Amino acid sequence: MRGFSQAISFLRESPTRKIDAIRERLKRENRDIINLSAGQPGIPPPIEIRSLLAKQLLEERGMDLYGYTPSQGIIELREAVAEDLKRLGGIDVDPGNIVIITGGQEGMFATFMTILNPGDEVILLDPTYFGYKPIIEYFSGRIKRLALSMDEGFKIDVERLKELITSRTKALVLVSPDNPTGNIVDRDTAKAIADLARDKDFWIVSDEAYRTLIYEGEHTYIYRYAPDHVISINTFSKDPGIPGWRLGFVYGPSDAVPKLKLAAEEMTYCPPVVAQRFVAAYLRSEVRMKHLRYIIEEYRSRRDAAIEALRNYLPEARFIIPRGSMFVFVDMSRYIRDSERFAEILLEKFGVTVIPGTYFSDIYRAAIRVSFVVESIDRIREGIRKIGEAVSEYGESL
Amino acid sequence: MRGFSQAISFLRESPTRKIDAIRERLKRENRDIINLSAGQPGIPPPIEIRSLLAKQLLEERGMDLYGYTPSQGIIELREAVAEDLKRLGGIDVDPGNIVIITGGQEGMFATFMTILNPGDEVILLDPTYFGYKPIIEYFSGRIKRLALSMDEGFKIDVERLKELITSRTKALVLVSPDNPTGNIVDRDTAKAIADLARDKDFWIVSDEAYRTLIYEGEHTYIYRYAPDHVISINTFSKDPGIPGWRLGFVYGPSDAVPKLKLAAEEMTYCPPVVAQRFVAAYLRSEVRMKHLRYIIEEYRSRRDAAIEALRNYLPEARFIIPRGSMFVFVDMSRYIRDSERFAEILLEKFGVTVIPGTYFSDIYRAAIRVSFVVESIDRIREGIRKIGEAVSEYGESL
C-alpha cells in the first residue's frame, strides 16, 4: 500500500529554517530584519577566485567544468586539502583518506550512516549543534548527554565523560570551535579524550566546521592523537564562504573511508564539480591566507562589537567570549525563562533574529545564540540594543 | 565499540564508477579511450547562460550567489520548473509540490527514504537502471522483477504486472525514456499502470531523467493520470547538461512533499545555489528551446550513426532503436555470453568503454549498453567497429 516510512518521522525541519521562513515573510512585507541568527558568513569569497571561475565559464569548451567527478572528489582538491591540513594543523592526512562531500550536512549524515547500528549510544555535549540529534535518532541511535557549564567555560570534564561510556558507546560528537558557544577544546583535553577513545574503543566524530575561524588560541586537530578513532567533518561554507554551494570534506582511518565514500555516493553520486574546482583554486592560491586573515580580522571586530553591546545593553546577561566560530551563546536567565517565545517576539516585534537556546541545550533554556558574522558592526549593535529593549518590555512575561 | 553499520554493507560502488576508474588509469597511460559508457551528455550548457553566471560572479556584491537557499529550493526555480512542466507536458504542478534536489541520485535516495519500511516490496522492471537496487536494499525493501522482452519492444504487459502486486507492494519503479533501452512507455500503458496504482494503492516512482531527450514520439507525464500515486524524479544533468553540478527536482502529492523535502534537507541541507540560479535563468531564457532542439538534433544524428554502425559491424546484434535517452541496449548473445568479461577486454585491449548488461538485467546477461551522446559521430563509429573486432577476436572464448 501507498504510505510512508516510519523512520522518517524522526526528522524535523531545522529550527533555523523555521526562523528563516518567518524572516522571509517579514522581508516580503518590507520589514528591515537584523539577522543575528544565520550560521553563514556575510563576506563573499575572494574576487580573484570568482574571476577565475568566470573566465573558465566563458572559455572552457569541454565538459570538465560540468561533468561528473569521482565520487570521492577530484584529486586536485583532495591534494589541496591535505596540504591545507598540513599547513594549518601540522597533520599528515593522505589524500586517499579524504572524501569530498556535498557540504557538512552530508558529512554528518554519511558519518552516522557509516557507523551507527540501532541501539548504539552516542554522547552529545550539552549545549551542542542541533544538527546531530535528528540524524542519530533517524539511525535509531540512543543519545546520552554530557552537561557542560558556562561557569567552567564549557570545558569538558574527561572524568565525567568517562562515567558515560558503556559497552554500547559508539561515538562522541565534539564540535570545536563550537557552535553555539564559540569555545575551543584545548590541547590537553583533546589529548585526554583521544586517549579515552582509543582505550574504550569508540569513535570521535569531530566537527571542525569552524577550524579556520579562530580569534584567539589555536585549533587542535584531534585526529593527530587518535587517527584510528576520529572521523573529522569539515566544510567550505565558512571559509571561503560558499555555504550555498554545498562543499566540504571528511577524513578518517582507512577502513572508514570507503564506507563514507559509498554513503555519500549513494546520496549525491559526486560533490558539485564547480565548487570543487573553485575551492581547489582557492586553497592553492596566494589570496587564500590573505583572505583568511581578512575575514578573521573582520569577524573579530564584529565579535568585539557584539561583546561590547551585550555588556552595554544586557548587563546581566552571561556568556563566554567566543574564541572561534561565529556565535556568542548568551545566557539570558536573569531576564527571561522561555527563549523560544522570546525569539519569536524579538523577530515579530523588534525585527531581530536569534536562535533560542533550547535548540542546543536542555539546560540553557533561557539562552540565545547571537551570530556576529552576517551584519555590519552598526547593525550588530542596533540588534543587541533591540534585544535589550525587548527584555525590558517583555522580559517579565517570559 | 568502534565499528560500522550493518546496513551500509548493502551499498556497492556504482558499476559505472568501476569502469570510470579503469578508464582514468588508461588515460593516465595516455591511451585514447572511446567512451561509450558514460551516462552524461557531451555538449556543455549554452554559452548565453554561462556568460550570465560569469557576469554575476564578477558583479554581484552580496551573498545571494553564495548563501544557503530554502531547502525546498528557490521559488524562482520552482516556478520555472512548473512552467516547464506545463509547456512541455501540459501538466499542472504547483510550485509548492516541487522539491529541488541535489541531483537525481538524491531524488532516488530521498524517495525511498520517504516511502519504504522494512519488508516492503518494490517492483523493478528487467532491464532497468542499476541505481535503484542498492537503495531499495539499503532500506530493507524486497525487490520483485518484471521481465521485459526485447522482442516485444520492452513493452510492459500490465496483466503480468498485476500478478506481481501483493498487499506488501509499496512501489513500482518506471524509467521512461528508459535507461538502458531507450524505450518510451506509451500513453495507453501509462494510463493502465496509473489505473492499477490507484486501484491497488501503490506508488509509481517515475524516473523521468530523460524526459526532454526524445527523438521520436513523446514523453507521457504519468503524474497526470495518478497525481496522488506518483513521485516523479527529474534531473538537470541531461538538459541543460550540468551533471556535475548536482541539480534536479522531484514532485508528488501534497502529503509526500514535506517528507521528501525533510529527507533531502537532512542529507544536504539545501540544493546548490549557483546551479539553482543557473537553471532558473536557463529555463526562462529564449535560448532554452533553441538549445534543446540543438542537442536533440545532434544526439539524434549520433544515435543514427550508432545504429548504422551496429548494423554494419555487428550484424547479428539485436536491439530496439532508442526513441529517447542516451543509450542503445545491444543484445550480443549471438557473439558472447559474459558481458562483464567482454566489457573488461573491450576496455583493456580495444580502448572502448561500454556498460555490461548484467548491471541492468538478470536476463540480458550478454547485452551491453552503448551510450551515443559523449563521443563524436566518427568516434562512435570507430568504437563500434572495435566492438566488432573484439567479438571476432575474443567472442568464442566469452
Side-chain angles (χ1 to χ4, degrees):
Chain A
M1 64 284 122
R2 190 183 173 289
F4 299 104
S5 157
Q6 299 296 317
I8 203 170
S9 65
F10 285 111
L11 299 184
R12 293 276 174 280
E13 188 167 59
S14 162
T16 49
R17 290 303 191 190
K18 209 165 138 187
I19 302 270
D20 287 351
I22 303 176
R23 194 181 63 237
E24 288 307 311
R25 175 170 57 77
L26 295 178
K27 264 190 180 168
R28 280 195 299 274
E29 296 166 9
N30 286 318
R31 286 273 301 277
D32 175 40
I33 307 295
I34 297 181
N35 182 346
L36 302 183
S37 62
Q40 67 176 331
I43 299 174
I47 185 67
E48 292 87 345
I49 314 299
R50 285 149 54 196
S51 302
L52 182 67
L53 176 58
K55 195 165 139 57
Q56 290 165 344
L57 282 164
L58 294 173
E59 294 176 8
E60 282 192 22
R61 314 185 101 242
M63 283 295 286
D64 280 359
L65 200 56
Y66 310 102
Y68 295 121
T69 76
S71 49
Q72 197 169 343
I74 58 175
I75 185 66
E76 296 84 344
L77 178 55
R78 288 188 286 120
E79 285 172 352
V81 166
E83 290 161 15
D84 196 60
L85 291 169
K86 181 75 180 169
R87 176 172 48 186
L88 296 183
I91 58 170
D92 290 297
V93 182
D94 190 276
N97 285 49
I98 295 167
V99 180
I100 307 299
I101 47 169
T102 306
Q105 182 75 33
E106 180 171 270
M108 293 160 57
F109 199 91
T111 296
F112 287 101
M113 184 169 164
T114 292
I115 63 173
L116 269 199
N117 286 304
D120 283 352
E121 293 173 2
V122 179
I123 300 171
L124 295 182
L125 308 178
D126 181 336
T128 200
Y129 175 49
F130 49 72
Y132 285 97
K133 183 170 179 279
I135 293 176
I136 295 163
E137 288 180 342
Y138 175 74
F139 288 110
S140 304
R142 279 154 58 189
I143 292 170
K144 289 186 150 188
R145 289 195 176 266
L146 177 64
L148 304 183
S149 161
M150 189 179 281
D151 293 334
E152 291 154 18
F154 297 111
K155 190 174 159 64
I156 297 166
D157 180 333
V158 180
E159 287 307 311
R160 290 190 41 237
L161 170 60
K162 206 176 285 181
E163 290 163 18
L164 291 181
I165 310 292
T166 74
S167 62
R168 306 226 58 173
T169 302
K170 184 50 99 36
L172 161 73
V173 178
L174 272 191
V175 184
S176 179
D178 189 35
N179 174 4
T181 69
N183 190 32
I184 297 176
V185 173
D186 62 77
R187 181 166 300 204
D188 288 345
T189 304
K191 271 187 192 169
I193 293 170
D195 286 346
L196 188 63
R198 281 192 281 105
D199 184 38
K200 302 287 185 184
D201 201 24
F202 61 83
W203 289 107
I204 299 168
V205 175
S206 178
D207 185 331
E208 302 176 53
Y210 302 95
R211 74 186 170 98
T212 60
L213 297 187
I214 307 272
Y215 311 111
E216 287 95 22
E218 60 173 343
H219 176 60
T220 298
Y221 291 75
I222 195 167
Y223 180 79
R224 180 202 309 271
Y225 303 115
D228 287 334
H229 289 78
V230 168
I231 296 174
S232 171
I233 302 176
N234 300 267
T235 177
F236 297 111
S237 294
K238 325 298 172 182
D239 157 37
I242 48 166
W245 289 25
R246 315 309 303 124
L247 201 74
F249 63 95
V250 295
Y251 59 91
S254 297
D255 57 347
V257 164
K259 291 169 195 283
L260 290 163
K261 182 184 84 102
L262 273 181
E265 179 177 319
E266 211 54 53
M267 284 188 274
T268 47
Y269 201 64
C270 73
V273 60
V274 73
Q276 290 188 69
R277 298 263 310 252
F278 188 87
V279 172
Y282 168 70
L283 289 179
R284 285 179 158 171
S285 77
E286 289 185 1
V287 297
R288 200 273 157 122
M289 292 312 293
K290 204 180 91 191
H291 181 72
L292 190 52
R293 280 191 296 270
Y294 161 63
I295 59 175
I296 288 174
E297 206 167 301
E298 179 63 31
Y299 292 156
R300 188 192 285 116
S301 47
R302 295 185 197 186
R303 178 202 62 172
D304 293 344
I307 300 297
E308 199 198 331
L310 285 167
R311 286 177 177 152
N312 277 345
Y313 297 116
L314 295 159
E316 295 191 68
R318 298 171 62 248
F319 53 87
I320 65 162
I321 295 175
R323 296 187 300 144
S325 89
M326 303 178 160
F327 315 105
V328 200
F329 191 62
V330 186
D331 175 12
M332 306 274 286
S333 53
R334 305 279 168 87
Y335 299 110
I336 60 166
R337 269 172 308 177
D338 179 346
S339 61
E340 290 191 39
R341 189 82 195 87
F342 179 68
E344 278 172 42
I345 286 177
L346 188 64
L347 175 50
E348 294 277 358
K349 308 276 186 196
F350 298 86
V352 178
T353 58
V354 296
I355 306 280
T358 48
Y359 293 158
F360 306 94
S361 175
D362 291 340
I363 308 163
Y364 291 92
R365 305 189 66 82
I368 55 174
R369 189 192 77 175
V370 174
S371 165
F372 54 78
V373 296
V374 187
E375 299 283 6
S376 65
I377 285 181
D378 284 350
R379 283 171 65 85
I380 290 169
R381 279 201 194 106
E382 176 63 8
I384 293 173
R385 191 188 65 72
K386 284 184 175 183
I387 297 176
E389 236 177 76
V391 292
S392 63
E393 203 165 321
Y394 289 90
E396 296 291 304
S397 62
L398 298 166
Chain B
M1 64 285 120
R2 189 182 173 289
F4 300 104
S5 156
Q6 299 296 318
I8 203 168
S9 63
F10 286 111
L11 299 183
R12 291 277 174 278
E13 188 166 59
S14 162
T16 50
R17 289 305 190 187
K18 209 164 139 187
I19 302 271
D20 287 350
I22 303 178
R23 196 181 62 237
E24 289 306 312
R25 174 170 57 78
L26 294 178
K27 264 189 180 170
R28 279 194 300 273
E29 295 165 11
N30 286 317
R31 287 273 300 279
D32 174 40
I33 307 295
I34 297 181
N35 182 348
L36 302 182
S37 62
Q40 66 176 333
I43 299 174
I47 185 66
E48 292 86 344
I49 314 299
R50 285 149 54 195
S51 302
L52 182 66
L53 177 56
K55 196 163 138 54
Q56 290 166 343
L57 281 163
L58 293 174
E59 293 176 7
E60 283 193 20
R61 314 186 99 241
M63 282 296 287
D64 281 359
L65 200 55
Y66 310 101
Y68 295 122
T69 76
S71 49
Q72 196 169 345
I74 58 175
I75 184 67
E76 296 84 345
L77 178 55
R78 288 189 285 120
E79 284 172 354
V81 166
E83 289 161 17
D84 196 60
L85 290 169
K86 181 75 179 172
R87 175 173 50 184
L88 296 183
I91 57 170
D92 290 297
V93 182
D94 189 277
N97 284 51
I98 295 167
V99 180
I100 308 300
I101 48 171
T102 306
Q105 183 74 34
E106 181 173 270
M108 293 160 57
F109 199 91
T111 296
F112 287 101
M113 185 170 163
T114 293
I115 64 173
L116 269 200
N117 287 304
D120 282 354
E121 293 174 2
V122 178
I123 300 171
L124 294 183
L125 308 178
D126 182 336
T128 200
Y129 175 48
F130 50 72
Y132 285 97
K133 183 170 178 279
I135 294 176
I136 294 163
E137 289 179 342
Y138 176 75
F139 288 110
S140 303
R142 280 153 58 186
I143 292 170
K144 288 186 153 190
R145 287 194 178 268
L146 177 64
L148 304 182
S149 161
M150 190 180 280
D151 293 335
E152 293 155 16
F154 297 110
K155 190 173 158 69
I156 297 166
D157 180 334
V158 180
E159 288 307 310
R160 290 192 39 239
L161 171 60
K162 205 176 284 180
E163 289 163 17
L164 291 181
I165 310 291
T166 74
S167 62
R168 304 225 60 173
T169 302
K170 183 49 95 44
L172 161 73
V173 177
L174 272 192
V175 184
S176 179
D178 190 34
N179 174 5
T181 69
N183 189 33
I184 297 176
V185 173
D186 63 75
R187 180 166 303 204
D188 287 346
T189 304
K191 270 186 191 168
I193 294 171
D195 286 347
L196 188 62
R198 280 191 281 102
D199 184 38
K200 302 286 185 183
D201 201 23
F202 60 84
W203 289 108
I204 298 168
V205 175
S206 178
D207 184 330
E208 302 175 55
Y210 301 96
R211 73 186 170 98
T212 61
L213 297 188
I214 307 272
Y215 311 110
E216 287 94 21
E218 60 173 343
H219 176 61
T220 299
Y221 290 74
I222 196 169
Y223 180 79
R224 180 201 311 271
Y225 303 115
D228 286 334
H229 289 78
V230 168
I231 295 175
S232 172
I233 302 176
N234 300 267
T235 177
F236 298 111
S237 293
K238 325 299 172 182
D239 159 36
I242 47 166
W245 289 27
R246 314 313 300 125
L247 202 74
F249 63 95
V250 295
Y251 58 91
S254 298
D255 57 349
V257 165
K259 291 170 196 285
L260 290 163
K261 183 184 82 99
L262 273 182
E265 180 177 318
E266 210 55 53
M267 284 188 274
T268 48
Y269 202 64
C270 73
V273 60
V274 74
Q276 290 189 69
R277 297 265 308 256
F278 188 87
V279 172
Y282 168 70
L283 288 179
R284 285 179 158 170
S285 77
E286 289 185 1
V287 296
R288 199 273 156 121
M289 292 312 292
K290 204 182 89 194
H291 181 73
L292 189 52
R293 279 191 296 270
Y294 161 63
I295 59 174
I296 287 174
E297 207 166 302
E298 179 62 31
Y299 292 155
R300 189 193 283 115
S301 46
R302 296 186 196 187
R303 178 202 62 172
D304 293 344
I307 299 297
E308 200 199 330
L310 284 167
R311 286 177 177 152
N312 278 345
Y313 298 115
L314 294 159
E316 296 192 71
R318 297 170 62 248
F319 54 86
I320 64 161
I321 295 175
R323 297 187 299 143
S325 89
M326 303 177 161
F327 315 105
V328 200
F329 191 62
V330 186
D331 176 10
M332 306 273 287
S333 54
R334 306 278 168 88
Y335 299 109
I336 60 166
R337 270 172 307 177
D338 180 346
S339 61
E340 289 189 40
R341 189 81 194 90
F342 180 67
E344 276 171 43
I345 286 176
L346 189 63
L347 175 50
E348 293 277 358
K349 308 275 187 198
F350 298 86
V352 177
T353 58
V354 298
I355 305 281
T358 46
Y359 294 158
F360 306 95
S361 174
D362 292 338
I363 308 164
Y364 291 92
R365 305 189 65 82
I368 56 174
R369 188 191 77 176
V370 174
S371 165
F372 53 77
V373 297
V374 185
E375 298 283 6
S376 66
I377 285 182
D378 284 350
R379 284 172 64 84
I380 290 169
R381 280 202 193 105
E382 176 62 9
I384 292 172
R385 192 188 64 71
K386 286 186 174 182
I387 296 176
E389 238 177 75
V391 292
S392 62
E393 203 164 321
Y394 289 89
E396 296 291 304
S397 62
L398 297 166

